[in-house]
């Protein structure tokens, strides 16, 4: 497989893979400004199947904003659905830690599958982010793309997938590493026709 050329990072997407969108028949793309070091996230949302957020090289994405918190770091997330809220939170967490590489070899990309259950959206958020943080540390992967689907049964079930590249010495830190996801001030709730979350991290 050919090496990805220099320039904006190529999407971590398999050949022929597509994600449908229910937003007036077009892919939902947004841009937001968070802080220096945050990258661009592209958001593909299918209200029926899954939400996708992908970290790329330029800009920043609407929907995530940093909040001031003594000694720790955190952000607030806004999205059209719970799936997208979870996916954006995951991308925001990794954007806080590393800048995506300018060059990526598709052969080095790695992916993990995540299956989780929780009684409420807050616990699902914590479990999702903690699992990604754990898998990143153990497998030494900087995750760049996040696919999320949630199903409401007796509780909430999440089926997720994260893809990324190996953590190497040439990866540029975007800020202090995230040590843990806290429950301090945690909030994941409906907001009008969408969803809103607040997450604080121990850094």
């Amino acid at each position: 497989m050919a090496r990805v050329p220099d320039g904006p990072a190529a999407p971590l997407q398999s050949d022929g893979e597509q994600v449908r969108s229910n937003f007036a028949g077009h892919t939902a793309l947004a841009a937001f400004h968070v802080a220096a070091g945050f990258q661009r996230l592209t958001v593909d949302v299918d209200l029926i199947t899954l939400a996708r957020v992908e970290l790329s090289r330029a800009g920043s994405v609407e929907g995530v904003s940093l909040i001031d918190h003594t000694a720790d770091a955190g952000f607030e997330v806004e999205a059209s659905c719970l799936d997208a809220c979870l996916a954006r939170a995951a991308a925001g967490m990794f954007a806080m830690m590393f800048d995506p590489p300018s060059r990526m070899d598709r052969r080095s990309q790695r992916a993990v599958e995540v299956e989780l259950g929780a009684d409420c959206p807050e616990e699902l958020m914590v479990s999702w982010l903690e699992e990604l943080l754990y898998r990143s540390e153990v497998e030494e992967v900087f995750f760049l793309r996040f696919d999320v689907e949630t199903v409401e049964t007796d509780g909430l079930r999440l089926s997720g997938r994260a893809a990324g590249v190996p953590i190497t010495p040439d990866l540029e830190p975007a800020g202090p590493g995230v040590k843990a996801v806290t429950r301090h001030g945690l909030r994941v709730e409906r907001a009008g026709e969408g969803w809103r979350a607040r997450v604080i991290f121990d850094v």
Side-chain angles (χ1 to χ4, degrees), residues 71-189:
D72 294 319
F75 52 61
E76 292 183 343
V77 183
E78 293 184 355
S80 59
C81 59
L82 178 59
D83 299 10
C85 195
L86 291 158
R88 286 185 175 185
M93 180 175 71
F94 282 93
M96 290 172 63
M97 294 189 288
F98 293 104
D99 291 333
S102 59
R103 178 171 24 182
M104 291 186 294
D105 186 345
R106 287 181 179 272
R107 292 171 296 184
S108 70
Q109 294 174 15
R110 304 176 189 174
V112 299
E113 305 289 336
V114 178
E115 299 286 337
L116 296 169
D119 294 332
C120 63
E122 288 84 1
E123 287 304 313
L124 194 66
M125 176 70 78
V126 171
S127 296
W128 162 241
L129 296 181
E130 284 185 338
E131 179 66 18
L132 291 177
L133 192 59
Y134 170 75
R135 300 287 286 273
S136 173
E137 292 172 352
V138 170
E139 302 183 29
E140 298 184 336
V141 178
F142 170 40
F143 292 122
L144 296 160
R145 190 184 74 190
F146 309 89
D147 297 329
V148 177
E149 177 186 11
T150 60
V151 177
E152 187 171 359
T153 53
D154 294 336
L156 284 168
R157 296 292 305 173
L158 178 151
S159 295
R161 186 174 189 269
V165 295
I167 295 175
T168 57
D170 59 334
L171 272 179
E172 294 289 337
V178 173
K179 297 177 183 177
V181 184
T182 78
R183 289 176 173 79
H184 178 71
L186 177 67
R187 185 173 68 240
V188 183
E189 61 192 7

